[in-house]
Amino acid sequence: MRQAPALAFNVREVSAANLDELLRLEVASGQQQLVAPVARSLAQVAYEPAGRPLALYDGDTAAGLLLLYDARQDADRPVSQLIVWRLLVDARQQRRGIGRAAMSWVVEEARRLGVASVGLSHVERPGHAGPFYAGLGYVYTGEVDDGERVMRLDLAS
């Protein structure tokens, strides 16, 4: 059995140079009701000052999109938390460890920023990512935000 090449995971800022290749990314058909498309995601983050769009790569191949939200900048409810607003891994790149690598990178970024926790939420539909996040140590808070179940990973100092 042929083994897949090792993952050369890296994160880059979204820019004019990589925009076209990012716009071609799509999740698997069964996930489309769970994750907004790249164009919509980038449009949303463009109008959110606390948002940060990042491109996920395997070497030089665009593999996904990550939107982060620095909740310390929230005008209504500032909290020491980095929120994973959106995680999208291209259908052709799934099951290779990119999502896990991205979430590990997020935790390190949160520590670098000095926030107390990483938060995220997901819709409660078949195929949702809750079990994936739980396997990484995220726990449900009991909160529901805009119909999505909220999870959090507290970072030890």
Side-chain angles (χ1 to χ4, degrees):
M1 179 181 236
R2 188 175 168 195
Q3 189 172 351
L7 183 64
F9 179 79
N10 63 88
V11 177
R12 302 177 191 174
E13 297 292 329
V14 172
S15 68
N18 61 13
L19 183 60
D20 286 341
E21 64 185 337
L22 294 174
L23 288 171
R24 289 191 287 272
L25 299 175
E26 292 183 358
V27 295
S29 62
Q31 299 169 329
Q32 290 175 354
Q33 81 266 2
L34 300 171
V35 182
V38 172
R40 180 175 178 193
S41 297
L42 291 175
Q44 288 173 323
V45 76
Y47 293 98
E48 181 50 64
R52 182 175 166 203
L54 298 162
L56 307 177
Y57 279 81
D58 177 13
D60 288 327
T61 303
L65 181 71
L66 177 66
L67 301 186
L68 297 180
Y69 180 86
D70 188 338
R72 297 173 300 181
Q73 298 177 33
D74 191 300
D76 297 326
R77 243 181 28 183
V79 62
S80 181
Q81 186 174 75
L82 185 61
I83 297 173
V84 177
W85 180 2
R86 186 133 322 128
L87 173 61
L88 177 151
V89 176
D90 186 69
R92 296 162 293 213
Q93 300 294 330
Q94 291 181 0
R95 307 268 185 244
R96 299 193 53 242
I98 292 167
R100 185 173 296 276
M103 294 304 289
S104 179
W105 184 90
V106 167
V107 169
E108 291 308 312
E109 181 69 357
R111 286 189 172 122
R112 186 186 72 75
L113 294 172
V115 297
S117 64
V118 176
L120 55 85
S121 61
H122 67 81
V123 294
E124 190 78 56
R125 293 185 186 148
H128 67 79
F132 169 71
Y133 297 131
L136 297 175
Y138 288 78
V139 296
Y140 286 102
T141 65
E143 298 172 61
V144 177
D145 182 19
D146 200 25
E148 297 187 5
R149 295 192 62 201
V150 178
M151 299 181 84
R152 181 179 61 234
L153 177 68
D154 289 321
L155 303 176
S157 300

